[in-house]
Amino acid sequence: MIHISEEDFRALRAHGEETYPHECCGVLLGKNEPGVGNRVSLIVRAGNTRTDSAHNRYNIAPQELVKIQRQARGLGFDIVGFYHSHPDHPAQWSQTDFAEAHWMGCSYIITSVEKGKAVLTNSFLLTGTSEENKAFQDEDVVVETPQQELISKERGEA
């Protein structure tokens, strides 16, 4: 299960609409909480370095990813996932998405963007301990409104 604020959820979907007909991409910073799942505290937009097929592929430059990882550490967060869009394709992982997913325990959020409008957002948790036994599992996306976040904080869950 991944928890994300309504504001961040809307922002990553808007990012997909802005880059249409190309894929957008970004990084999800936060913490993995036992019994809760990945909780996103901040999303960071990244540049899609794919110029040969940006309409159906994305890549985050290693230098940019290292910079984002340093930013996360400086804020006391971890990289808990990645997001990207699928212009005019379903919000389901592709074989390329799977082949290029290497961050075990991270959530991979995909938003389908049809004719420039974000339609559906799904998330997949990359499980396993190695490339040989990794797998994507469907995971629920819990979009937290400011009221829900306040309740969670009062319960000591956030």
Side-chain angles (χ1 to χ4, degrees):
M1 185 177 309
I2 185 165
H3 296 257
I4 187 169
S5 71
E6 184 176 22
E7 179 182 358
D8 285 340
F9 184 76
R10 286 180 188 218
L12 68 84
R13 289 170 56 92
H15 191 193
E17 292 175 349
E18 291 169 25
T19 62
Y20 182 87
H22 298 137
E23 289 194 7
C24 74
C25 53
V27 183
L28 309 170
L29 307 183
K31 287 287 186 186
N32 179 276
E33 299 177 7
V36 175
N38 289 325
R39 183 178 299 278
V40 177
S41 298
L42 180 67
I43 66 167
V44 180
R45 288 181 175 207
N48 182 355
T49 62
R50 293 292 297 252
T51 55
D52 58 332
S53 55
H55 65 287
N56 64 0
R57 300 281 187 271
Y58 79 95
N59 181 64
I60 301 173
Q63 301 88 340
E64 186 173 16
L65 188 55
V66 168
K67 181 180 173 185
I68 293 169
Q69 190 170 34
R70 286 184 181 144
Q71 178 185 5
R73 288 181 182 156
L75 295 169
F77 298 138
D78 298 313
I79 291 177
V80 296
F82 301 89
Y83 72 89
H84 72 280
S85 61
H86 277 180
D88 298 318
H89 285 280
Q92 295 295 316
W93 57 271
S94 67
Q95 287 301 319
T96 300
D97 293 333
F98 182 70
E100 295 180 357
H102 307 291
W103 292 64
M104 307 302 173
C106 278
S107 298
Y108 287 76
I109 292 179
I110 300 171
T111 298
S112 63
V113 180
E114 295 178 11
K115 297 179 181 173
K117 181 78 179 158
V119 176
L120 181 65
T121 298
N122 289 323
S123 186
F124 308 93
L125 179 67
L126 187 64
T127 62
T129 57
S130 68
E131 289 296 311
E132 289 72 36
N133 68 4
K134 73 179 183 180
F136 270 138
Q137 286 183 346
D138 293 358
E139 71 174 346
D140 292 333
V141 178
V142 178
V143 179
E144 298 180 333
T145 63
Q147 181 65 27
Q148 288 171 317
E149 291 174 21
L150 180 61
I151 292 169
S152 294
K153 285 181 182 176
E154 288 174 354
R155 290 181 181 164
E157 296 173 356

